[in-house]
């Protein structure tokens, strides 16, 4: 609707210029044609997050000689086993 009001204002101003300006008296027009393309913004579709059931049980041997790595792997194994119990 606002676009139509602006179009009417432009039409009125052109008519006013014809009557008030001597240089513009020879300007004649019938209608003003204008086009406005409006494309509403589409909201992006949110894909659902796929979740998989954990199948690991945390049953594996730790065959590493490095004590630091053994400790890290033991913590990982413990977390997996805790998670397996809650499911």
């Amino acid at each position: 609707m606002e676009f139509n009001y602006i179009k009417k204002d432009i039409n009125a101003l052109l008519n006013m210029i014809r009557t008030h300006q001597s240089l513009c008296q020879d300007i004649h027009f019938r209608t003003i044609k204008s086009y406005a393309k409006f494309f509403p913004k589409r909201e992006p579709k949110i894909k659902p997050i796929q979740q998989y059931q954990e199948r690991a049980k945390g049953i594996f041997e730790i065959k590493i000689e490095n004590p630091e790595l053994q400790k890290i792997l033991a913590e990982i194994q413990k977390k997996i086993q805790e998670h397996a119990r809650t499911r």
Side-chain angles (χ1 to χ4, degrees), residues 45-51:
K45 295 181 180 177
I46 300 173
K47 294 182 180 179
I49 299 172
Q50 289 184 335
Q51 293 182 348

Side-chain angles (χ1 to χ4, degrees), residues 53-60 76-87:
Q53 184 176 3
E54 182 64 54
R55 296 186 300 180
K57 303 292 182 202
I59 302 170
F60 54 88
I76 292 172
Q77 184 179 32
K78 183 179 175 184
K79 291 288 184 185
I80 294 171
Q81 289 172 350
E82 287 173 3
H83 186 71
R85 281 187 219 130
T86 59
R87 293 281 169 170

Side-chain angles (χ1 to χ4, degrees), residues 14-29:
L14 288 173
N15 284 327
M16 192 183 302
I17 286 176
R18 272 187 50 210
T19 58
H20 294 296
Q21 293 290 328
S22 59
L23 295 173
C24 299
Q25 289 176 353
D26 296 335
I27 297 175
H28 298 288
F29 60 92

Side-chain angles (χ1 to χ4, degrees), residues 37-45:
K37 292 184 178 179
F38 173 72
F39 299 109
K41 292 182 180 179
R42 294 183 181 175
E43 294 183 20
K45 295 181 180 177

Side-chain angles (χ1 to χ4, degrees), residues 62-79:
I62 301 173
K63 296 180 180 181
I64 296 178
E65 295 177 10
N66 187 335
E68 290 179 30
L69 290 178
Q70 280 181 347
K71 183 179 176 183
I72 293 170
L73 285 174
E75 290 175 14
I76 292 172
Q77 184 179 32
K78 183 179 175 184
K79 291 288 184 185

Side-chain angles (χ1 to χ4, degrees), residues 1-15 29-36:
M1 287 186 83
E2 184 177 342
F3 184 76
N4 288 331
Y5 291 130
I6 292 171
K7 184 178 162 185
K8 288 178 185 177
D9 288 343
I10 292 170
N11 195 3
L13 287 172
L14 288 173
N15 284 327
F29 60 92
R30 292 184 194 149
T31 58
I32 298 173
K33 293 185 180 183
S34 55
Y35 302 96

